[in-house]
Amino acid sequence: MSGRARCGLWAVTVAAIAVAAGCATTALLAGHLPPDLPDVSRWEHSDGEVEFAGPRRKIAYKLYVDPTRPAFYAVTRYRITHANPDERLATDHTDRERLQWHKGGRDVRRYECVPAGNGRPCAWRELEKGGAEYLEMMPTLLQLYSIHSSLLHERDRQAQQR
């Protein structure tokens, strides 16, 4: 889907590059998941990528729905990439991929994929529950869910107008 949506929470215009199950927008995301996660390869998912101005940045994301818990994003992956690294917001310490997993619905685990070096893929590091890095993910996750919801509503509105 292409389109524009207003997100009052960030007070910026969001240009939706792609939002739909199976879109090829996850090139910015790691090719592997933390080893303790379940196999999500057959789970329903939505991929997306959005761009923001001020500071210019792109968020690539993938939301997974556990088939045993419909209408609930059990795994959320995202990566914020800044056009200019000097424009990073105070809460965006890195351009690394981050992941949230609702294990069993109540045990919330969060991870960051840190560079492994020597040309190897990044390695997943679980964030300490209640730690600063763990807590700073929440505003981004809430904004991401809000943006995704807005984009889905816009897609549905456009489909009804056809």
Side-chain angles (χ1 to χ4, degrees):
M1 173 184 103
S2 293
R4 298 177 80 76
R6 257 273 173 233
C7 176
L9 195 53
W10 283 17
V12 295
T13 300
V14 178
I17 297 172
V19 169
C23 287
T25 61
T26 55
L28 295 174
L29 301 179
H32 63 292
L33 296 175
D36 49 342
L37 260 68
D39 178 10
V40 299
S41 63
R42 294 196 169 137
W43 288 11
E44 179 182 339
H45 64 274
S46 292
D47 303 358
E49 190 173 285
V50 290
E51 288 187 13
F52 297 89
R56 277 189 33 226
R57 62 203 182 281
K58 184 183 296 185
I59 300 178
Y61 66 91
K62 194 165 193 168
L63 310 173
Y64 297 87
V65 177
D66 181 341
T68 65
R69 298 193 61 163
F72 177 76
Y73 297 125
V75 176
T76 300
R77 304 171 63 183
Y78 70 89
R79 181 176 183 158
I80 301 170
T81 306
H82 293 82
N84 178 352
D86 295 333
E87 292 182 338
R88 287 187 182 136
L89 300 173
T91 57
D92 293 335
H93 296 288
T94 68
D95 282 347
R96 297 175 184 161
E97 180 178 346
R98 293 200 164 175
L99 181 146
Q100 175 173 275
W101 173 33
H102 285 265
K103 182 181 180 183
R106 295 186 186 261
D107 181 11
V108 178
R109 297 182 182 195
R110 295 184 180 150
Y111 300 82
E112 180 176 60
C113 209
V114 297
N118 297 332
R120 295 179 307 165
C122 62
W124 289 101
R125 173 179 67 93
E126 186 169 358
L127 304 178
E128 178 187 347
K129 284 188 181 182
E133 292 176 301
Y134 182 94
L135 296 174
E136 79 182 15
M137 282 180 64
M138 189 47 110
T140 302
L141 289 162
L142 292 174
Q143 292 165 347
L144 182 58
Y145 297 141
S146 176
I147 290 165
H148 183 70
S149 176
S150 295
L151 294 171
L152 291 176
H153 287 8
E154 176 65 17
R155 178 199 64 192
D156 293 346
R157 186 186 68 75
Q158 288 180 1
Q160 287 178 349
Q161 291 179 348
R162 289 183 193 152

